[in-house]
Amino acid sequence: MLAKLYLGAYFTTFRLALATTPLFGSNFFLRRTAWLPVADTVHRSGLKVHDDLDLTIRLTPSHHIAYDPANRVEISFRPFQQPQTFGLRMVRGLATLAKNWPRSSSTLRWRRKLLNLLCA
């Protein structure tokens, strides 16, 4: 129950912040052709970067991220056994958004997404 609540909040919050489905490190596939153009732009230093979110920001909006419920992988329950890690996860998420601000702010991402939908 707690895991579903956490993951639901994670995906809802970051879909709103990123205007796309965020990658989730436990289970995502990435083509080499998608990785190579962004490989040198992702933040690789520091412990306060949420690498999944940073990669999501770097890949989008030029790449499509799709959620496929058929591809399921069980994740560790560790984060729910150590409540102090929730704070660290929050700090990493906010720090990642801040590192990519303003180039990739929520407002700009939603504006681009809506313009793409209107122009399609």
Side-chain angles (χ1 to χ4, degrees):
M1 173 70 168
L2 187 57
K4 284 185 181 183
L5 182 65
Y6 170 75
L7 292 174
Y10 173 88
F11 280 103
T12 300
T13 300
F14 287 112
R15 274 188 192 118
L16 290 172
L18 302 174
T20 192
T21 300
L23 296 173
F24 192 72
S26 299
N27 186 26
F28 74 84
F29 304 93
L30 182 65
R31 291 188 177 129
R32 185 174 195 265
T33 55
W35 169 250
L36 289 177
V38 301
D40 292 333
T41 68
V42 295
H43 293 97
R44 295 175 187 237
S45 61
L47 298 175
K48 290 187 179 174
V49 173
H50 193 307
D51 55 348
D52 303 350
L53 294 179
D54 193 57
L55 183 55
T56 302
I57 290 167
R58 298 299 169 165
L59 287 171
T60 58
S62 57
H63 292 87
H64 177 72
I65 295 175
Y67 172 71
D68 183 354
N71 291 313
R72 294 194 173 269
V73 172
E74 291 188 22
I75 62 171
S76 167
F77 202 71
R78 245 185 352 238
F80 308 102
Q81 294 171 336
Q82 300 171 343
Q84 67 272 20
T85 65
F86 280 113
L88 177 59
R89 291 169 192 276
M90 297 280 288
V91 167
R92 284 182 179 161
L94 293 173
T96 303
L97 293 176
K99 275 187 176 270
N100 289 287
W101 196 276
R103 180 190 68 81
S104 195
S105 71
S106 299
T107 305
L108 290 175
R109 295 176 71 82
W110 278 104
R111 185 182 307 158
R112 279 188 224 125
K113 184 172 187 141
L114 292 173
L115 284 172
N116 286 340
L117 290 173
L118 291 173
C119 295

